[in-house]
Amino acid sequence: MGGSTRVPAVQAHVRKLTGQEPSASINPDECVATGAAIQAATLAGASTGLVRANSLLLLDVTPLSLSIETVGGVATRLVERNTTLPVHYSQVFSTAAAFQTSVEVKVLQGERPMAADNKAIGTFRLKGIKRAPAGVPQIEVTFDIDANGILTVSAKDLDTGKQQSITIDDSGRMSDDEVDRAIRDAEQYAEQDEARRDAMLAREEAQRLANEADQALAQKGKQLEKDEKKQIKADVAAVRKLLSKKVDKVDEADVAVLRTASEQLERSSARARNLVQQG
């Protein structure tokens, strides 16, 4: 756009870069204003005389994925990059520790699977959660983005009805340069990031199984055989010992050992966990 697009040298350079013939079908001095008029008419359902009303629809999209930070520093995506606006999406999460009465919701923008590698664009705390074992509370997190790109994130405890939210406009989001850099970084570190994410998910799954096994023993232990309870306790201890190990970098062998211990715990505690589900 702009008068410089009439310069033959500019046209030749564009042709060289793209391998396509530059279009000269519209006035480059008026194209931005024309496009804005068409978009305004489309949103209003009116006609500009340039195109028939509703014959053209221009849609905005999210430039980068939007996530929240979950257990282990993982960036759990709720809205994917290039999702058409407006968008409404909800997902139910739970607590990571026993008897939590509040949770912090950290909103992230970026393409990396770990929270620390993305940009934090907003944080708020949901208080008043009913005390319960880890994994029991049901917390619904909702992302709403309107046609103007205004993001509202809310968290609601489905048991108590307690709710909190935050609104984030474009001023708190990434600039165009930051968006480009985030996309490049995601591509550059894709393999390394995937390994880190797999490791954290393995730890999260192991933690979940250990918590569920503990709860099953507390609630249904009297219905289990002595040897069965002994095996579950030993498997829980093995998993927790592996989880207590300080992790500085991803070690595939350590992840494999943790997964094996988790699978053993899942097998040994299956009946106890089924008894809990049956009430």
Side-chain angles (χ1 to χ4, degrees):
M1 64 179 184
S4 61
T5 60
R6 295 191 181 93
V7 177
V10 172
Q11 295 177 5
H13 190 58
V14 170
R15 193 179 295 113
K16 179 181 178 181
L17 289 174
T18 65
Q20 300 182 38
E21 188 66 27
S23 172
S25 61
I26 59 175
N27 185 334
D29 296 320
E30 299 175 353
C31 64
V32 174
T34 300
I38 293 172
Q39 173 70 340
T42 301
L43 293 174
S47 175
T48 62
L50 298 170
V51 294
R52 296 192 310 277
N54 299 323
S55 66
L56 179 66
L57 181 60
L58 304 178
L59 299 172
D60 284 332
V61 298
T62 56
L64 289 175
S65 299
L66 297 168
S67 316
I68 64 169
E69 182 174 353
T70 53
V71 178
V74 173
T76 300
R77 291 184 188 177
L78 275 76
V79 179
E80 293 285 345
R81 177 184 171 217
N82 287 332
T83 297
T84 302
L85 303 184
V87 62
H88 173 91
Y89 184 79
S90 296
Q91 186 170 333
V92 175
F93 297 87
S94 192
T95 50
F99 310 118
Q100 280 184 246
T101 57
S102 68
V103 293
E104 183 178 69
V105 179
K106 182 178 290 186
V107 186
L108 309 165
Q109 184 181 25
E111 300 305 305
R112 307 282 295 276
M114 304 304 296
D117 297 321
N118 295 299
K119 181 178 181 179
I121 58 175
T123 302
F124 65 94
R125 182 170 291 276
L126 174 64
K127 300 179 180 180
I129 299 172
K130 187 175 179 179
R131 291 171 58 85
V136 173
Q138 299 287 287
I139 301 166
E140 183 180 50
V141 177
T142 302
F143 275 50
D144 275 300
I145 313 177
D146 64 18
N148 296 315
I150 305 300
L151 167 64
T152 300
V153 182
S154 62
K156 180 179 181 180
D157 181 354
L158 298 181
D159 183 23
T160 64
K162 296 285 186 179
Q163 185 169 347
Q164 187 59 265
S165 64
I166 187 174
T167 298
I168 304 165
D169 60 22
D170 285 339
S171 63
R173 312 267 278 277
M174 286 188 179
S175 65
D176 290 344
D177 288 342
E178 288 176 317
V179 168
D180 291 340
R181 185 166 60 252
I183 294 172
R184 289 196 303 271
D185 287 348
E187 294 172 349
Q188 180 179 351
Y189 299 110
E191 185 174 341
Q192 174 185 326
D193 284 348
E194 190 62 28
R196 291 170 63 196
R197 178 178 174 81
D198 285 347
M200 294 311 303
L201 290 177
R203 291 180 64 84
E204 184 177 346
E205 176 66 7
Q207 185 66 65
R208 181 188 68 80
L209 286 169
N211 290 340
E212 288 184 358
D214 281 340
Q215 293 168 25
L217 284 174
Q219 296 177 32
K220 301 296 180 178
K222 293 181 180 180
Q223 300 179 36
L224 303 175
E225 298 292 334
K226 183 178 179 180
D227 288 345
E228 192 175 8
K229 288 192 290 184
K230 184 179 179 180
Q231 184 64 56
I232 294 173
K233 289 179 180 179
D235 292 340
V236 168
V239 166
R240 292 201 186 282
K241 183 177 180 180
L242 292 171
L243 289 173
S244 68
K245 181 179 179 181
K246 186 177 181 181
V247 180
D248 295 323
K249 61 180 181 178
V250 176
D251 187 310
E252 293 184 4
D254 288 343
V255 174
V257 170
L258 179 59
R259 285 205 172 101
T260 299
S262 297
E263 290 168 0
Q264 169 59 33
L265 174 58
E266 187 172 23
R267 287 192 296 270
S268 65
S269 65
R271 193 170 82 87
R273 289 184 287 111
N274 286 337
L275 288 172
V276 172
Q277 292 176 0
Q278 293 167 11

